[in-house]
Amino acid sequence: MTRLRETRSVPELDDTGRSRDEILLTIGLLLAELLDEEDLVDEVTVESTFGADLDLESILFVVLCERLQERYGEVDFVGWLADLEMDQLINLKVGDLVEHIARCLTS
């Protein structure tokens, strides 16, 4: 598995480090690592879909959620995903995930 670029690594968390921009950057960096596509981090936006745009396989989505769980702690990915309809899952955007994490961290 490739390592994240030294110049762009997942930012350290502090009291101010949980903004939506930081969450988006973290997701982009993790996706770039998981998909072994270093330049992908610059292409991931809140409008990117995991399926059509990023072509992310479901097993890699599970790994992504596990990595995000390690980073952010008590974020309920399983419960959140279970509440989504099939068409919502198919069309899930990076921004949906960013918003879910942000809501969990502020509640």
Side-chain angles (χ1 to χ4, degrees):
M1 180 167 286
T2 349
R3 296 252 181 228
L4 294 175
R5 288 187 270 176
E6 288 181 35
T7 57
R8 297 208 54 192
S9 59
V10 177
E12 292 298 320
L13 278 183
D14 60 21
D15 291 339
T16 61
R18 293 179 176 192
S19 71
R20 282 167 176 75
D21 289 339
E22 184 272 335
I23 295 168
L24 177 61
L25 175 61
T26 299
I27 291 171
L29 289 165
L30 290 173
L31 284 169
E33 180 182 336
L34 289 172
L35 297 172
D36 196 23
E37 293 183 32
E38 192 172 283
D39 295 332
L40 182 68
V41 68
D42 297 322
E43 298 173 22
V44 174
T45 70
V46 293
E47 293 299 316
S48 302
T49 60
F50 288 101
D53 296 332
L54 300 172
D55 199 27
L56 189 71
E57 296 178 18
S58 57
I59 190 68
L60 289 179
F61 185 78
V62 170
V63 174
L64 173 65
C65 288
E66 287 175 352
R67 298 263 181 92
L68 291 167
Q69 183 80 48
E70 290 169 7
R71 175 151 179 85
Y72 293 110
E74 297 187 28
V75 176
D76 182 14
F77 294 107
V78 174
W80 175 63
L81 292 169
D83 288 340
L84 297 178
E85 299 292 327
M86 184 60 71
D87 64 323
Q88 291 173 303
L89 286 169
I90 292 169
N91 298 307
L92 191 65
K93 294 180 179 180
V94 171
D96 299 327
L97 184 57
V98 169
E99 287 302 315
H100 174 67
I101 294 169
R103 273 194 310 273
C104 288
L105 295 176
T106 58
S107 59

